[in-house]
């Protein structure tokens, strides 16, 4: 049955559609890291009652979202009439995973009329299991090659009309040329399980003046995935600034093969890739000590002076990574509501809710590395194809790349998360309705209190080398060496190698990965999936404690510095937030209130006041006195060297020494802030089918909890004794910077930390729309919207005082702060839908929906802050590819996730028992991350479209069959790296984006049966 949209046009007061919508929770806690909304319970079509989306805000709405609000209302017993029994079973199949899984759900609801009133109960359960596969071809940081014409005589980049100059490349080109530093061929198998239970009870007294509702929701979600990724490494750029001209050609063709070929766009097209020799030892024996697969021969030939190498080229590194990521989360939600009809004109409502949530993650990655020449080419869709060939100057044991003996373990990485959160929320509302016939309809007021806390345990990514070409590895080089053996004396390694675990490696390729078009290399060696899934067994097989490996991996949970399970203090975040809110909202107008000779007016105006109090608990680590002793070792009065204007020892005090005692202490830091959120919404009824809406409001979004982290690892003061030092104090601001004018030295301690006193981001938002509802199933709407952001969070410095050992010092804290502005967004949204009822016969069931959104962004500056622990202990300084926030980072000046253009077109058919839907949605490119974790550059997703469809057929009044398909076009998602752009190093440079990743996911088919009684 078609749902009337005309009713929505008549009854809805809030303006605008659902463009730029994000989910804003209604009094929920967060089980996941640094988010503000808990994962919703498993819901089915039977378990949901209604979904309401609103672009602008009213005073009665709970604060917390600036992009819009989606309110999902779950089904209650009184929604179901006398009785409801319903259930469904669905089967899921993905064309890459090639496995069928099932999901099922059921709901039972019953109501009774009794002497005590009307009583209703409801129980709902849903369970889902999906196996799916994703395949990706992913380039790591793309190198930019140029050897001339990229900088002037002072070393500054040459930028002309936004283009960064280049006149020659080390590979022979006359402009910039590009090459990926690494190409990853990744196959990920996901195993997702979700189940949820919902229970509800309702009671209404016989007069209908009291209604009580209580609900309990319990949701559990697990997403485990296993990855195999073959990574072909060409060169490294870790820690390089975003603007980083590479002036030499390290990668070159294998002996006897043609030179490397680059396309018209400057990107590498073909060649047999090798690297220069010389990154192993200084002699043949030294190379043997570092690693050998054939007795008496080094794995990599020594090709230095006196060697017999026929070429100075060698194979490049190939890392086969196996990864297990196990994520789980659970949410329990208990709520109660009482509605009271006090009089005909006065109604009240009271709510209480308690939510408890948890999240746990375990992530382990083990790499096995070999070496080979790489035959590189490019397919028609831009994906690189790499065929591995025997490596130049590499001595393999029999079996080549299929033999584990030809591999070593370069690194192991583990990571843990264990988070919990809870929230208690209380709310009371009252609404008084005025007498009919006037402009004023009702006055609604309310108060709300919420106490939310989170305890987040988020470990570092514990990247640990096990063996390496630069190290003497001896018998610990080969991954299949399982028996104890002595290290060569030259290694100087304490004790014998004890052997790696037996039977833990598997020689298998990536199968039909990408239809065999990108990585046709069978028999690569990976850690077996069985070993990955056995946490205790993996630790026993590969940890330093059991293997005495050349370098060694110590699992996170075995660290000596752990203070809380597997975590050290900088990895722990404990935040409590209390909010108190009150509002008043006046509703006015109605269908019988008109202006301008028949134009109806209906709307509301109100204001919400919110007081937020936040406390972030953590700790402080103070510097040791080593810096003080080194400083004072040069007595005051010692003659100053040239270009030195001060001896800081002359101004060192006992207080500085006392403060620097290497101690630590618990610490709490926070703040409170008040926000006034006014709102105004009005709808003008031009006719009974045409409406004009206007809305204006201020909304807020609270900062991610991760930015509130309160752990400060205080560093020693910066000692700069030169004439231009910012720490030297002179007797006058205009005094010459010479020793005779020096009167002091500022000892400034510093630290990286979050900021517990961050304020929310606010947005002043406006929208105006015209809506025309032709009939019960047809409409046309057009809307303009504008959002001005205030108080955006950016990287900055601020002073904070700490007291230690009886001494108080001001410390410069680097981390997040609120800015004065934040940029703006504006745009247009157009939507149309209709059914072609005028067509004859079966054709009258045809219909369509279409919408288009255009968005413009102005004045956006990215903060590049990290919500997870960064490189600095306790810090929130964003990092990517080894970069921290500084002038080396490109600013895309865009908000992540927002496209300039997006449209949806849906074809519909509803006639009799048959309903069909075919939906195509497309969006233009958009920023996914301004500072990518692994490459240190902005990442973009290219514009793409997806096609989904469904068919439903009613077998009588109680049974429905369904067939659904998603990603029917088998769309490949393409990502791009932004290799040039505006930064402190290249101000005003225009964005240059290069295709760098191609991701394919399952086409999914779902068949279902649903019954309703």
């Amino acid at each position: 049955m078609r749902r009337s949209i005309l009713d929505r046009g008549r009854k809805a007061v809030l303006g605008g559609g659902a463009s730029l919508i994000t989910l804003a929770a209604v009094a929920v806690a967060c089980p996941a890291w640094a988010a503000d909304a808990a994962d919703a319970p498993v819901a089915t079509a039977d378990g949901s009652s209604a979904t309401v989306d609103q672009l602008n805000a009213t005073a009665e709405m709970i604060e917390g979202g600036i992009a819009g609000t989606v309110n999902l209302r779950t089904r209650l017993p009184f929604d179901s009439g006398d009785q409801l029994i319903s259930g469904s079973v669905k089967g899921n199949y993905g064309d890459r995973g090639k496995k069928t899984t099932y999901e099922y759900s059921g709901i039972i609801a019953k109501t009774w009329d009794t002497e005590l009133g009307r009583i209703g109960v409801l129980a709902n359960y849903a369970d889902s299991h999906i196996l799916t596969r994703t395949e990706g071809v992913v380039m790591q940081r793309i190198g930019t090659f140029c050897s001339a014409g990229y900088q002037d005589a002072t070393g500054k980049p040459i930028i002309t009309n936004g283009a960064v100059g280049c006149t020659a490349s080390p590979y022979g080109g006359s402009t910039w040329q590009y090459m990926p530093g690494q190409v990853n061929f990744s196959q990920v198998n996901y195993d997702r399980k979700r189940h949820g239970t919902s229970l509800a009870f309702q009671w209404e007294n016989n007069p209908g003046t009291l209604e009580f509702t209580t609900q309990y929701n319990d949701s559990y979600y697990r997403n485990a995935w296993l990855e195999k990724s073959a990574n072909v490494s060409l060169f490294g750029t870790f820690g390089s600034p975003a603007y980083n001209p590479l002036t030499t050609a390290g990668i070159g063709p294998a002996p006897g093969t043609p030179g490397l070929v680059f396309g018209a766009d400057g990107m590498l097209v073909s060649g047999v890739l090798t690297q220069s020799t010389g990154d192993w030892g200084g002699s043949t024996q030294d190379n043997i000590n570092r690693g050998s697969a054939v007795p008496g021969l080094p794995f990599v030939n020594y090709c230095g002076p006196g060697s017999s190498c026929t070429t100075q080229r060698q194979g490049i590194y190939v890392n086969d990574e196996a990864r297990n990521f196990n994520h789980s989360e659970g949410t329990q939600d208990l709520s109660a509501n009482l509605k009271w009809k006090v009089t005909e004109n006065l109604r009240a409502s009271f709510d209480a809710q308690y939510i408890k949530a948890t999240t746990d993650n375990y992530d382990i990655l083990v790499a096995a590395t070999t070496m080979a020449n790489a035959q590189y080419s490019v397919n028609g869709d831009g994906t690189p194809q790499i065929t591995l060939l025997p490596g130049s100057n590499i001595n393999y044991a029999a079996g080549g790349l299929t033999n584990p003996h030809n591999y070593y373990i370069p690194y192991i990485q583990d990571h843990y998360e264990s988070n919990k959160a809870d929230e208690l929320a209380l709310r009371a509302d009252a609404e008084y309705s005025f007498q009919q016939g006037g402009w004023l309809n009702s006055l609604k007021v309310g108060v709300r209190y919420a106490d939310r806390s989170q305890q987040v345990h988020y470990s570092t990514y514990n990247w640990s080398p096990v063996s390496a070409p630069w190290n003497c590895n001896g018998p610990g080089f080969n991954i299949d060496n399982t028996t104890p053996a002595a290290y060569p004396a030259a290694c100087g390694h304490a004790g014998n190698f004890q052997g790696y675990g037996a039977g833990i490696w598997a020689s298998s390729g990536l199968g039909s990965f990408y239809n065999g078009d990108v990585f046709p290399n069978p028999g690569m060696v990976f850690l077996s999936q069985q070993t990955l899934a056995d946490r205790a067994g993996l630790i026993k097989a590969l940890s330093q404690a059991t293997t005495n490996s050349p370098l060694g991996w110590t699992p996170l949970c075995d660290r000596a510095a752990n203070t809380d399970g597997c975590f050290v203090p900088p990895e722990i975040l404990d935040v409590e937030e209390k909010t108190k809110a009150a509002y008043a909202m006046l509703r006015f107008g109605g269908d019988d209130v008109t202006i301008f000779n028949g134009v109806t007016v209906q709307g509301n105006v109100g204001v919400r006041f919110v007081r937020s109090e936040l406390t972030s608990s953590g700790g402080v680590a103070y510097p040791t006195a080593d810096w003080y002793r080194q400083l004072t070792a040069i007595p005051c009065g010692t003659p100053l060297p040239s270009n030195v204007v001060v001896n800081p020892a002359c101004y060192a005090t006992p207080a500085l020494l006392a403060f620097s005692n290497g101690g630590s202490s618990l610490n709490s830091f926070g703040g409170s802030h008040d926000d006034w959120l006014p709102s105004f919404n009005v709808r003008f009824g031009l006719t009974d089918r045409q409406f004009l809406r206007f809305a204006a409001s201020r909304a807020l979004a609270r900062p991610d909890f991760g930015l509130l982290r309160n752990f400060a690892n205080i560093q020693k003061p910066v000692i700069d004794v030169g004439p231009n030092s910012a720490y030297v104090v002179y007797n006058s601001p205009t005094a010459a910077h010479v020793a005779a004018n020096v009167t002091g030295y500022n000892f400034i301690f510093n630290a990286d930390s979050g900021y517990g006193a961050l304020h929310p981001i606010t947005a002043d938002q406006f929208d105006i729309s015209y809506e025309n509802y032709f009939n019960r199933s047809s409409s046309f709407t057009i809307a303009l919207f504008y959002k001005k952001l205030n108080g955006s969070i950016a990287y900055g410095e601020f002073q904070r005082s700490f007291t230690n050992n009886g001494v108080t010092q001001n410390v410069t804290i680097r981390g997040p702060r609120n800015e004065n502005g934040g940029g703006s967004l504006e745009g247009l949204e157009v939507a149309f839908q209709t059914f072609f009822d005028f067509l004859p016969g079966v054709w009258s069931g045809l219909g369509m929906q279409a919408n288009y959104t255009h968005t413009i962004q102005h004045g956006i500056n990215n903060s590049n802050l990290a919500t997870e622990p960064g490189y600095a202990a306790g810090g929130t300084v964003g990092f990517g590819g080894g970069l921290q926030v500084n002038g080396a980072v490109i600013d895309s000046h865009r908000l992540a996730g927002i496209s300039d253009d997006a449209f949806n077109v849906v074809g519909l058919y509803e006639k009799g028992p048959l309903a069909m839907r075919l939906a195509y949605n497309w969006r233009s490119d958009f920023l996914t991350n301004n500072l990518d974790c692994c490459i240190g550059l902005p990442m973009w997703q290219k514009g793409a479209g997806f096609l989904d469809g469904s068919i439903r057929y009613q077998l009588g009044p109680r049974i429905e069959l369904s067939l659904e398909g998603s990603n029917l076009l088998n769309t490949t998602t393409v990502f791009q790296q932004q290799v040039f752009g505006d930064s402190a190093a290249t101000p005003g440079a225009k964005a240059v984006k290069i295709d760098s990743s191609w991701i394919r996911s399952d086409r999914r088919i779902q068949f279902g049966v649903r019954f309703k009684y």
Side-chain angles (χ1 to χ4, degrees), residues 634-816:
I634 303 175
C636 184
T638 302
L640 298 176
S642 61
N643 209 35
V644 172
V645 298
V646 65
N647 180 356
C650 298
Y651 304 99
T653 66
L656 294 172
L657 178 62
F659 187 78
S660 305
N661 67 346
S664 63
S665 63
L666 299 177
N667 181 270
S668 294
F669 185 69
S672 64
H673 46 82
D674 298 337
D675 292 281
W676 292 90
L677 308 175
S679 61
F680 174 72
N681 297 270
V682 64
R683 187 202 68 186
F684 299 99
L686 308 179
T687 70
D688 63 345
R689 296 178 182 273
Q690 298 184 63
F691 304 91
L692 184 67
R693 302 177 189 271
F694 173 76
S697 68
R698 168 166 282 199
L700 66 80
R702 294 188 172 89
D704 288 332
F705 267 26
L707 298 179
L708 308 174
R709 183 182 305 108
N710 180 33
F711 182 88
N713 187 21
I714 299 176
Q715 304 297 308
K716 65 183 182 181
V718 176
I719 304 299
D720 183 352
V721 295
N724 296 318
S725 169
Y727 307 100
V728 176
V729 180
Y730 294 94
N731 55 21
S732 168
T734 59
H737 289 193
V738 296
N741 295 330
V742 173
T743 60
Y745 189 91
N746 287 324
F747 294 92
I748 305 298
F749 296 89
N750 63 86
D752 290 275
S753 177
Y755 187 51
L758 283 176
H759 286 207
I761 300 172
T762 62
D764 298 319
Q765 45 196 21
F766 307 87
D767 63 85
I768 186 170
S769 65
Y770 166 77
E771 304 170 6
N772 190 341
Y773 298 88
F774 308 116
N775 53 51
R776 292 184 62 83
S777 61
S778 301
S779 70
F780 169 79
T781 64
I782 182 170
L784 300 174
F785 59 87
Y786 174 82
K787 293 179 183 289
K788 175 67 174 68
L789 304 178
N790 310 298
S792 290
I793 296 172
Y795 172 73
E797 294 183 347
F798 57 95
Q799 296 294 312
R800 182 178 163 193
S801 63
F802 292 88
T803 300
N804 178 46
N805 201 17
V807 176
T808 299
Q809 291 285 337
N810 286 327
V811 177
T812 299
I813 301 293
R814 297 183 293 261

Side-chain angles (χ1 to χ4, degrees), residues 313-382:
R313 309 301 299 177
Q314 71 183 31
I316 59 179
Y317 294 96
V318 181
N319 303 321
D320 291 348
E321 293 182 347
R323 187 173 189 177
N324 175 22
F325 182 89
N326 198 336
H327 169 88
S328 64
E329 59 187 62
T331 304
Q332 294 81 44
D333 176 356
L334 178 64
S335 63
N337 168 261
L338 177 65
K339 296 178 181 177
W340 180 21
K341 184 178 179 182
V342 184
T343 68
E344 287 298 323
N345 296 87
L346 180 62
R347 298 171 186 267
S349 178
F350 305 92
D351 292 272
Q353 184 180 38
Y354 178 73
I355 296 179
K356 183 171 63 175
T358 59
T359 296
D360 291 283
N361 287 329
Y362 167 66
D363 185 0
I364 181 72
L365 181 152
V366 179
T369 293
T370 189
M371 300 178 72
N373 293 353
Q375 183 174 310
Y376 188 100
S377 60
V378 176
N379 297 312
D381 62 355

Side-chain angles (χ1 to χ4, degrees), residues 133-138 183-190 225-231 319-325 364-368 504-513 519 521-530 532:
R133 172 177 290 181
T134 295
E135 297 175 345
V137 181
V138 180
V183 183
N184 299 356
F185 302 92
S186 170
Q187 183 182 82
V188 185
N189 293 312
Y190 296 92
W225 49 266
L226 294 171
E227 178 184 17
K228 292 197 301 185
S229 181
N231 308 330
N319 303 321
D320 291 348
E321 293 182 347
R323 187 173 189 177
N324 175 22
F325 182 89
I364 181 72
L365 181 152
V366 179
I504 63 175
W505 305 98
S507 297
S508 61
L510 298 179
S512 59
F513 178 83
F519 195 69
N521 301 288
M524 305 296 291
V525 175
F526 295 88
L527 190 74
S528 71
Q529 293 189 353
Q530 293 79 6
L532 276 174

Side-chain angles (χ1 to χ4, degrees), residues 129-151:
H129 184 203
I130 294 178
L131 297 173
T132 186
R133 172 177 290 181
T134 295
E135 297 175 345
V137 181
V138 180
M139 292 180 178
Q140 296 301 316
R141 173 78 177 266
I142 293 175
T144 53
F145 290 86
C146 183
S147 53
Y150 60 91
Q151 63 183 11

